[in-house]
Amino acid sequence: MRHWRAKIGRVSTIHVALSTEAPPRLVISNLNGQSLGEAVDQRRQFALEICPSATCHCRDITLVEVLNAADEAAEPAMYVLNFVERLVQASSTTMSRSGYPSAEAIAAAIPEHAWHELGGVFFAAKAMAFAAIDTSNECAEFPFDEVERRGILVPICSVIPFAPRFLPPADDSRDFGVSEQYCVRPRCDCTESIIELSVSRPLEATEAKTSPTMRLRAEPYVDFYVDWQNNTWRIAGQNRQLTATEMDLRDRLVAANPNLLSELRRRHEVMRNLYRASANQLRPISAPFLAGPRISRNEPCPCGSGKKYKRCCLAKATDRSPTPARE
């Protein structure tokens, strides 16, 4: 157990303990000073519950009181923790009862390092949810029109926000970030994904004045088109082979993620299946874009780009490399 203690007012102390065993437990003790100077330890155990959906964007951890056998008929007390904003909310039932610490008291009792540990519990649970995802029971918001009209690729973090990130390539001089995009077009069977590498740099003095809360800025560095089936790599938007520097970066990325290709394959399949399931639930019933009137090659492209159809979406429809979408 990890223990944290914080003074609440003059006569009471909140004691919070997070168990590292499975399933995780949060123990809250309320020590109330009595009129004769006696202390009564009212210890309550709370189970940590995290939304099992891999596509849910919330960052909440629900604390549900673990009741004794004699109290199982009662409604358990509940608190909701947001480990990002460091906020705690109590259910109306909990607030109406005596002997339970307030949401503010619990928030004050949890120090910064403990919030980080709670965040670790949350991300571990979401990683498990992603590993066991059943796309037939999930639903996510996709840019459906953009996918089918323009063939854009979809960042995985936009629909599965807490999917574990690939490890960045080892580098002593640069701090890399890694993100991914996938083609989810229903009629496309491509086996390419995009791996985006960005590099973080400290803000310059003029930038820091306009963004006082930021310390680093992520800038695009290189985008790899990766064919996970054939293990071929190329640079997005450029019909050329990798340079020696880019090949070295690729090799270090693969070294950091030995199962990179198989995991790209799995994630691509998850994204495609999730797109199909979500489209069936969320898209309005209407004629698909490709079933509309025939468009002449020399007519303006219906996507609104101002280009001729033959030089815009028609070209993209015949290209097996869909358009990347920036996060």
Side-chain angles (χ1 to χ4, degrees), residues 4-46:
W4 316 298
R5 184 172 297 219
K7 288 286 184 181
I8 308 298
R10 293 184 177 181
V11 295
S12 62
T13 299
I14 294 290
H15 185 87
V16 183
L18 174 65
S19 169
T20 57
E21 300 174 357
R25 285 277 196 272
L26 193 73
V27 179
I28 301 175
S29 301
N30 189 1
L31 304 177
N32 296 310
Q34 302 299 305
S35 58
L36 298 178
E38 299 174 351
V40 178
D41 187 350
Q42 297 175 324
R43 175 161 295 214
R44 308 183 188 281
Q45 279 203 346
F46 289 78

Side-chain angles (χ1 to χ4, degrees), residues 211-244:
S211 304
T213 60
M214 295 178 59
R215 295 293 179 267
L216 297 173
R217 183 182 297 280
E219 295 183 339
Y221 187 76
V222 66
D223 293 351
F224 289 115
Y225 265 122
V226 184
D227 186 329
W228 44 259
Q229 180 166 283
N230 300 307
N231 191 19
T232 57
W233 296 59
R234 60 190 179 91
I235 300 301
Q238 303 180 33
N239 188 20
R240 64 171 177 81
Q241 299 297 317
L242 273 60
T243 65

Side-chain angles (χ1 to χ4, degrees), residues 254-311:
V254 173
N257 303 273
N259 299 320
L260 179 67
L261 295 180
S262 60
E263 183 61 14
L264 282 174
R265 182 188 194 116
R266 187 186 83 86
R267 294 184 179 209
H268 203 161
E269 292 173 353
V270 166
M271 289 287 284
R272 278 187 172 138
N273 293 336
L274 184 58
Y275 181 87
R276 294 189 189 100
S278 302
N280 291 336
Q281 297 182 56
L282 298 178
R283 288 205 71 179
I285 300 175
S286 60
F289 170 73
L290 294 178
R294 181 180 177 84
I295 304 170
S296 170
R297 290 167 54 85
N298 292 314
E299 289 181 3
C301 187
C303 75
S305 66
K307 300 178 181 179
K308 290 184 178 181
Y309 179 53
K310 66 181 179 182
R311 300 196 180 280

Side-chain angles (χ1 to χ4, degrees), residues 57-80:
H57 285 251
C58 80
R59 292 171 169 81
D60 293 340
I61 299 174
T62 303
L63 307 183
V64 182
E65 184 180 15
V66 180
L67 298 174
N68 298 324
D71 300 326
E72 286 184 351
E75 182 178 351
M78 294 177 61
Y79 298 90
V80 178

